[in-house]
Amino acid sequence: MTTDQDLSMDGQSARAVLAAKGIDVTPNKDQGVIKVVKRQGLDGDRPMIGDRVTVHYTGKLLTGKKFDCSRDRKEPFSFNVGKGQVLKAWDIGVLSMQRGEVCTFLCKPEYAYGAAGNPNKIPPCSPVVFEMELLKFEGEALTDDGGIVRRIKVKGDGYTNPNDGASVDVHLQGSCGGRLFDCRDVSFVVGEGEDKGIPLGVDRALDKMQKGECCVLYLKPKYGFGSEGKPEYNIGPDKDVVYEVTLKDFQRAKESWEMDLSEKLDLVGDVKNKGNQYFKAGRYYQAVIQYQRITSWLEMECGSGIEQQKRIQDYIVTAHLNLALCFLRIKEFSQVIDNCNKVIELDKSNEKALYRRGEARLLRNEFSLAMADFQQVLQVNSSNRAARAQISICQSKIKEHHEQDKKTYANMFQKFAERDAKTRRTKRRRDESERSGMNGEVGIKRRRRSQDCLP
């Protein structure tokens, strides 16, 4: 076990002691990071590249002088391990630890603060020592809702990733409840994995992967097989699934800035049709991917000539309207409103945009705003019976809301009145008690005076 006494000697001796007690955990075994275990961790998993880890640490020079400590701040430190967010020694060292483990790392300058050191704290070209405790770790969440969690088993090469429309070659292994249900090599286009029976979560994770990477993806039902399940794989509804994915190769699709306008317009029709195909099949998230490709390509394009400008605007308007409809289906109402607003900026009298924005606002309980939208629909098309029906619903909801407010305020005022009455009763009883006490004292004093009188 390494102690502060080990570091109180001169630097060379301290380095020799740590090196003698520890093991080299660097990949190329150059003694760059020497690890000495002070307390064994729990048996089981170790962090993988990209995991979110939480540690306590103390950093010292070889003289024993402390230069940093998370415990002094009473707050542990979290980072994604293996991603270059911290010192190289930390990325290497923490990947070797188990949950609950405490260890000391002796780090060469090239794995720590380098030739420059750290002004006022660490001299140039200084080896340093870190004592670390691994408190916890978890996979990297790739979505805000935590529906796709990634753990990297093998880091990929390079810095490029597949994009929407890229052609990819992958190896897949899918499991549910520990049972392997899918194992195959497959090629497909990113954004169109549904066509090959690949769940949305795998498709969406690919744009975070690099060539050669092997990772494990933990998918919630939304990103797996949803409420329908996958009967051909004997997977029931609303089941979590796990996929091990190896990205063997990929060919990126052209980015918007790499294409001229004519190329974009040639592709838009097919992409729109693919989105419509997914929409009709109820695959709304996959449809969103296609429609968003269209808007990303064309929103900054002006076109030459009135006819081409109108063609561009028609594609943009249609894509945003379709996106609004998809987001209505998946109940992301703020996205519905955003896409409708973009259409209304281009065409303030667009009946579908006004109506769908009204639907989203109604579902967000914004009854007055929704009614205003439906009234605008009638100004555009007075025969729109659906809008009239929605106005009636809005009026009914507004009335219900006002009635509820009346009850709420009535109950509130009743409670205030009861509280005030209770306060007055309490005060009256206290006053009466005080008067009664005073009268009693006066009587006692009078009796005492009468007893003190001479006969």
Side-chain angles (χ1 to χ4, degrees):
M1 181 178 290
T2 306
T3 66
D4 288 341
Q5 189 175 10
D6 293 332
L7 297 179
S8 63
M9 57 191 77
D10 66 87
Q12 290 296 328
S13 300
R15 185 187 305 183
V17 168
L18 290 169
K21 291 183 176 183
I23 58 171
D24 183 359
V25 293
T26 54
N28 53 358
K29 303 302 178 187
D30 62 0
Q31 303 285 305
V33 183
I34 301 295
K35 174 184 175 181
V36 179
V37 177
K38 298 183 69 174
R39 185 182 76 200
Q40 294 289 341
L42 302 174
D43 288 337
D45 226 357
R46 286 183 168 84
M48 293 184 185
I49 296 167
D51 282 2
R52 189 73 177 169
V53 301
T54 301
V55 301
H56 265 310
Y57 69 92
T58 299
K60 296 180 180 181
L61 301 176
L62 290 186
T63 59
K65 181 181 178 182
K66 181 168 65 176
F67 60 82
D68 194 10
C69 181
S70 63
R71 294 187 187 278
D72 290 347
R73 296 191 295 273
K74 296 182 173 59
E75 185 177 359
F77 182 73
S78 297
F79 62 98
N80 291 96
V81 68
K83 292 286 193 174
Q85 297 176 357
V86 291
L87 298 176
K88 190 176 180 181
W90 283 31
D91 274 340
I92 292 170
V94 171
L95 286 171
S96 74
M97 298 177 71
Q98 293 177 315
R99 186 181 284 103
E101 182 178 320
V102 178
C103 61
T104 298
F105 294 110
L106 169 63
C107 314
K108 283 184 176 180
E110 54 265 39
Y111 287 87
Y113 295 95
N118 192 326
N120 303 321
K121 286 187 176 183
I122 300 159
C125 299
S126 292
V128 293
V129 173
F130 284 101
E131 180 180 287
M132 304 193 78
E133 178 182 4
L134 179 57
L135 302 174
K136 62 179 181 178
F137 59 88
E138 57 190 4
E140 177 188 12
L142 299 186
T143 55
D144 292 339
D145 59 8
I148 307 174
V149 173
R150 173 177 67 167
R151 303 194 68 205
I152 300 173
K153 295 179 71 173
V154 179
K155 190 174 182 180
D157 300 321
Y159 299 96
T160 59
N161 316 92
N163 56 350
D164 284 333
S167 300
V168 295
D169 301 320
V170 301
H171 178 73
L172 299 176
Q173 291 185 27
S175 60
C176 180
R179 176 182 62 85
L180 185 69
F181 63 80
D182 190 10
C183 183
R184 54 181 163 141
D185 292 319
V186 60
S187 300
F188 63 97
V189 174
V190 176
E192 301 176 17
E194 170 70 20
D195 297 349
K196 298 292 182 75
I198 294 166
L200 177 67
V202 173
D203 195 306
R204 292 298 81 199
L206 281 164
D207 69 359
K208 306 289 193 305
M209 296 180 67
Q210 295 159 336
K211 184 178 178 179
E213 179 179 319
C214 175
C215 68
V216 180
L217 299 173
Y218 300 85
L219 309 181
K220 294 295 183 185
K222 172 182 174 181
Y223 297 96
F225 299 113
S227 58
E228 299 174 3
K230 196 75 170 175
E232 55 263 48
Y233 292 148
N234 197 26
I235 295 175
D238 298 317
K239 295 290 186 182
D240 293 354
V241 293
V242 179
Y243 268 86
E244 183 175 301
V245 183
T246 303
L247 178 57
K248 295 160 62 179
D249 200 3
F250 69 91
Q251 182 68 46
R252 284 177 60 85
K254 282 187 177 182
E255 296 287 0
S256 179
W257 54 270
E258 295 176 302
M259 296 187 286
D260 60 30
L261 180 55
S262 62
E263 283 183 273
K264 294 175 184 179
L265 291 174
D266 287 342
L267 292 172
V268 162
D270 289 340
V271 174
K272 176 187 170 185
N273 290 337
K274 177 61 74 171
N276 293 347
Q277 174 189 323
Y278 287 140
F279 181 87
K280 290 173 184 175
R283 299 293 185 254
Y284 304 119
Y285 291 102
Q286 288 86 346
V288 164
I289 295 166
Q290 304 303 320
Y291 298 138
Q292 285 180 337
R293 291 182 74 190
I294 296 172
T295 59
S296 69
W297 289 343
L298 297 181
E299 277 186 323
M300 301 304 292
E301 295 287 354
C302 298
S304 56
I306 294 174
E307 185 176 335
Q308 193 177 65
Q309 289 172 3
K310 184 178 184 306
R311 188 180 174 198
I312 292 168
Q313 181 167 315
D314 287 346
Y315 275 132
I316 292 172
V317 166
T318 300
H320 280 303
L321 286 173
N322 290 344
L323 282 166
L325 197 53
C326 289
F327 286 123
L328 265 177
R329 296 289 189 272
I330 58 182
K331 297 179 170 36
E332 293 187 18
F333 302 127
S334 61
Q335 291 279 3
V336 178
I337 293 169
D338 287 345
N339 279 281
C340 289
N341 285 342
K342 288 177 180 177
V343 174
I344 292 166
E345 286 174 12
L346 297 171
D347 177 8
K348 64 180 180 180
S349 298
N350 189 284
E351 185 177 352
K352 289 182 179 179
L354 291 167
Y355 188 87
R356 288 170 192 173
R357 187 173 71 176
E359 286 185 290
R361 286 173 165 173
L362 179 56
L363 290 165
R364 293 210 312 185
N365 295 332
E366 297 171 346
F367 307 126
S368 297
L369 290 173
M371 188 162 68
D373 280 336
F374 294 129
Q375 287 170 339
Q376 280 187 268
V377 171
L378 291 180
Q379 290 175 12
V380 175
N381 178 9
S382 60
S383 62
N384 191 317
R385 289 183 292 178
R388 288 190 186 281
Q390 294 285 33
I391 288 172
S392 296
I393 292 171
C394 289
Q395 290 169 336
S396 176
K397 292 288 185 182
I398 290 170
K399 185 177 179 181
E400 286 177 20
H401 188 69
H402 287 163
E403 291 298 325
Q404 187 60 45
D405 283 348
K406 283 181 185 178
K407 290 179 182 178
T408 301
Y409 290 128
N411 291 336
M412 189 186 303
F413 292 140
Q414 180 65 28
K415 287 177 182 177
F416 288 155
E418 290 173 357
R419 188 185 64 185
D420 291 344
K422 185 177 179 181
T423 302
R424 286 196 297 271
R425 286 195 300 270
T426 302
K427 185 175 184 301
R428 188 164 56 248
R429 284 196 296 268
R430 187 170 60 245
D431 292 344
E432 289 172 354
S433 177
E434 289 175 357
R435 285 197 297 272
S436 176
M438 290 175 63
N439 291 337
E441 289 177 7
V442 170
I444 291 169
K445 288 178 181 179
R446 285 175 177 172
R447 287 194 296 274
R448 283 178 180 169
R449 282 199 300 271
S450 65
Q451 290 170 3
D452 291 342
C453 294
L454 293 172

